[in-house]
Amino acid sequence: MDSMQMFEDKAIRTAWDEENEKWYFSISDVVEILTESQNPKEYIKKLRKRDTELSDKWGTICTPVKMISKDGAFRKIQATDIEGLLRIIQSIPSPKAEPFKMWLAQVGSERIEETIDPELAIDRALETYLKKGYSEDWIHQ
């Protein structure tokens, strides 16, 4: 299943992988939006030169996925799952990437705290269910 996700009124091509049960995102679309680059493929090349660790793992981070190309044909596009996308975003020095980086830092900190004190994970889950509108009776079951 192919679709478009919107970020600040700009489209990001996505594809759902039924077999692996995960979403894949067009890397060039994300890079174009976060960097405002006119040539995202060239930006990706420079990004990989700057971040050798990312470049070394590029083959495991990126997967060619059939998506609608810019010319409307189905082609294999460099794509990545959410984990890979977050890794790439970490390497982009862009003000638009900062909210993602801050979120990553917060989530990482929370997970470390939960490892030290598992009760925090339970409290966070309860809070999340309440925010989603579940009743306390449902949660306690």
Side-chain angles (χ1 to χ4, degrees):
M1 172 173 61
D2 294 320
S3 69
M4 296 282 189
Q5 302 295 324
M6 300 303 288
F7 180 78
E8 295 183 354
D9 297 327
K10 297 195 171 145
I12 299 173
R13 291 170 289 173
T14 61
W16 175 251
D17 181 339
E18 289 279 341
E19 186 177 323
N20 295 313
E21 296 185 343
K22 59 174 133 179
W23 283 100
Y24 283 89
F25 302 83
S26 164
I27 294 169
S28 65
D29 290 353
V30 172
V31 168
E32 181 177 1
I33 290 168
L34 293 180
T35 64
E36 298 178 338
S37 173
Q38 297 300 316
N39 189 344
K41 289 182 182 180
E42 191 61 35
Y43 188 95
I44 291 168
K45 284 181 188 177
K46 290 178 184 175
L47 178 69
R48 290 179 63 187
K49 283 182 183 175
R50 277 195 321 260
D51 188 337
T52 55
E53 187 177 322
L54 175 66
S55 188
D56 291 344
K57 295 180 180 168
W58 195 257
T60 56
I61 292 172
C62 299
T63 304
V65 176
K66 275 201 167 188
M67 294 183 186
I68 297 173
S69 65
K70 300 268 183 184
D71 65 6
F74 271 98
R75 301 192 197 295
K76 288 195 173 186
I77 306 281
Q78 276 195 340
T80 190
D81 60 13
I82 292 172
E83 184 178 344
L85 187 63
L86 293 173
R87 173 59 183 92
I88 292 167
I89 290 169
Q90 288 175 325
S91 297
I92 296 175
S94 163
K96 288 189 175 190
E98 277 309 306
F100 286 101
K101 292 177 185 179
M102 294 302 292
W103 175 76
L104 282 174
Q106 178 186 349
V107 170
S109 175
E110 289 171 358
R111 295 311 164 265
I112 290 169
E113 289 171 4
E114 290 171 1
T115 302
I116 295 167
D117 184 0
E119 189 175 326
L120 292 173
I122 294 166
D123 292 343
R124 201 173 328 271
L126 291 173
E127 185 179 322
T128 300
Y129 279 120
L130 286 171
K131 284 180 183 175
K132 288 185 172 191
Y134 288 88
S135 70
E136 287 194 33
D137 291 337
W138 184 91
I139 294 169
H140 291 294
Q141 285 180 1

